[in-house]
Amino acid sequence: MTEGRLVYLSGDFVPESEARVSIFDTALMFGDMVFEMTRSYNMEPFRLRHHLERLYAGIKILEIDCGLDIDEMEAATMETIEINKDRMPEGVDYQIMHNVSNGPLGLYSSVFPEGIKPTISINVWPLTWHLAGIADYYDTGVHSILTQQQSVPARYIDPKIKNRSRVFYQVANLQAHKIDPKAYALLSDEDGFITEGTGNNFFIVKDGVIYTPEGRNILRGVTRGTVIDLAAELGIPLQETNLEAYDVHGADEAFVSSTSMFILPVTKFNTLPVGDGEIGPTVQRLTDAFSGTVGVDIVAQAKQYKAEAEATAGG
Ligand SMILES: Cc1ncc(COP(=O)(O)O)c(C=O)c1O
């Protein structure tokens, strides 16, 4: 590693400690900021274009005039990765975070004599600590708890737009953690159908078929798309359908998906075991196949990062 990482901030590269957002930013006032989280495998971004397409869907719907088209955003992303190549721990995969808003509100323009610019940040961050925190769950599975806090229906705040108005996800986390501090919160819609986790999508497996909630009141995760593609490649039937707590109790397996972890088994649901409480063959098959696709043993990588994080903390 040479020197500190640099963040792309509205056209400039600045050190992480100087990458700041104004208190007058519309993101802080209204939460109308869109964002993305992409990760690398073998130091190459995975499905970056999928993430940027979702980002630009949000940019269009929220009418954010960010001044870059999707190709320019991709180029700025690749430049951010390139400029940080020698500033990152060698051989460590990273996440790429995009945050985009219209910038400070016009009402406060006198604070910005140089003119108001949209806020665009792109930064890279080593995945060591993210993956260290979940490494054990590939072996044990996670405990999913359906919370009293429900998803906001898409007609109010559309969760398909990956946006920073995330209070309801945080309340769900608080509720789940009161029951089990390590639990993963799971939300439902107004009819009681399961929607998604607070940072992941949800799946069950029953009699060899994978089921996942329809893409209605959820963020349509890029990883959810990867699972759908992979299941088709492996010849595992997959259906998007309404799921209730009852269906999870009767499932053979369950799992959650998100960018940083790919999938994690859910071995406990609302304090009861899912299936026999062990990691099932479908989760294993998807994990192995995905590791093959990206050329990284994702479970071994998480365990290696955990060992490195512990060594750093210890030393
Ligand atoms: C609410 C929510 N659902 C699902 C996901 C999974 O999306 P992806 O697979 O694109 O990471 C996330 C990721 O952050 C999320 O915040």
Side-chain angles (χ1 to χ4, degrees):
M1 218 189 314
T2 51
E3 49 192 303
R5 283 181 295 267
L6 298 178
V7 176
Y8 174 96
L9 188 64
S10 305
D12 298 316
F13 282 100
V14 300
E16 283 171 346
S17 58
E18 289 169 29
R20 299 196 184 95
V21 175
S22 163
I23 60 162
F24 301 110
D25 201 291
T26 182
L28 199 111
M29 297 283 190
F30 297 115
D32 56 340
M33 174 176 251
V34 288
F35 75 109
E36 269 309 321
M37 191 70 78
T38 309
R39 68 156 285 180
S40 72
Y41 288 100
N42 282 323
M43 276 62 76
E44 293 299 327
F46 181 72
R47 293 201 168 189
L48 173 62
R49 195 71 186 193
H50 291 68
H51 286 278
L52 292 181
E53 279 165 7
R54 186 170 63 184
L55 185 76
Y56 272 79
I59 282 174
K60 180 177 180 190
I61 295 164
L62 297 183
E63 299 188 27
I64 297 173
D65 183 10
C66 79
L68 297 182
D69 66 23
I70 189 168
D71 294 326
E72 290 164 337
M73 186 67 83
E74 189 172 30
T77 307
M78 297 314 290
E79 198 185 346
T80 308
I81 293 169
E82 186 57 37
I83 216 166
N84 282 292
K85 231 171 206 159
D86 295 332
R87 301 165 192 264
M88 297 276 281
E90 211 183 318
V92 174
D93 272 311
Y94 51 85
Q95 66 174 31
I96 307 153
M97 187 162 61
H98 293 84
N99 281 298
V100 182
S101 81
N102 266 321
L105 297 176
L107 181 64
Y108 301 102
S109 58
S110 58
V111 180
F112 306 92
E114 71 288 4
I116 282 184
K117 284 205 264 183
T119 301
I120 305 173
S121 75
I122 310 172
N123 77 298
V124 292
W125 190 268
L127 277 169
T128 315
W129 298 277
H130 288 80
L131 295 187
I134 59 160
D136 290 347
Y137 296 144
Y138 288 105
D139 292 334
T140 63
V142 298
H143 180 191
S144 276
I145 291 183
L146 201 55
T147 57
Q148 193 185 11
Q149 169 69 54
Q150 294 192 305
S151 288
V152 177
R155 65 181 178 281
Y156 298 143
I157 299 179
D158 194 337
K160 295 182 230 26
I161 304 168
K162 195 168 165 78
N163 71 89
R164 290 290 186 196
S165 301
R166 295 175 75 83
V167 161
F168 62 102
Y169 292 129
Q170 286 301 74
V171 172
N173 284 335
L174 292 172
Q175 290 175 350
H177 294 164
K178 287 222 166 56
I179 297 165
D180 174 350
K182 290 187 168 174
Y184 276 33
L186 188 61
L187 290 88
S188 55
D189 65 17
E190 295 162 298
D191 297 314
F193 296 128
I194 289 167
T195 50
E196 61 182 345
T198 57
N200 49 69
N201 292 114
F202 187 77
F203 302 78
I204 63 167
V205 185
K206 175 78 177 168
D207 297 332
V209 181
I210 302 174
Y211 298 93
T212 194
E214 290 173 8
R216 201 182 318 120
N217 289 317
I218 61 167
L219 181 79
R220 294 177 186 165
V222 171
T223 321
R224 177 181 180 272
T226 306
V227 169
I228 291 171
D229 293 347
L230 198 56
E233 274 171 41
L234 296 174
I236 307 172
L238 184 147
Q239 287 177 24
E240 297 178 51
T241 189
N242 289 327
L243 294 175
E244 296 176 274
Y246 181 84
D247 299 310
V248 187
H249 285 305
D252 303 321
E253 299 176 55
F255 61 93
V256 287
S257 72
S258 83
T259 290
S260 55
M261 65 204 187
F262 178 53
I263 62 170
L264 282 181
V266 174
T267 46
K268 221 197 242 190
F269 172 66
N270 285 353
T271 76
L272 299 176
V274 175
D276 60 6
E278 302 293 327
I279 292 160
T282 310
V283 166
Q284 196 63 59
R285 219 175 137 202
L286 287 168
T287 306
D288 292 347
F290 184 70
S291 291
T293 303
V294 294
V296 173
D297 180 333
I298 58 167
V299 178
Q301 182 186 57
K303 289 179 181 177
Q304 183 199 329
Y305 288 5
K306 184 178 179 219
E308 285 170 12
E310 283 170 356
T312 313

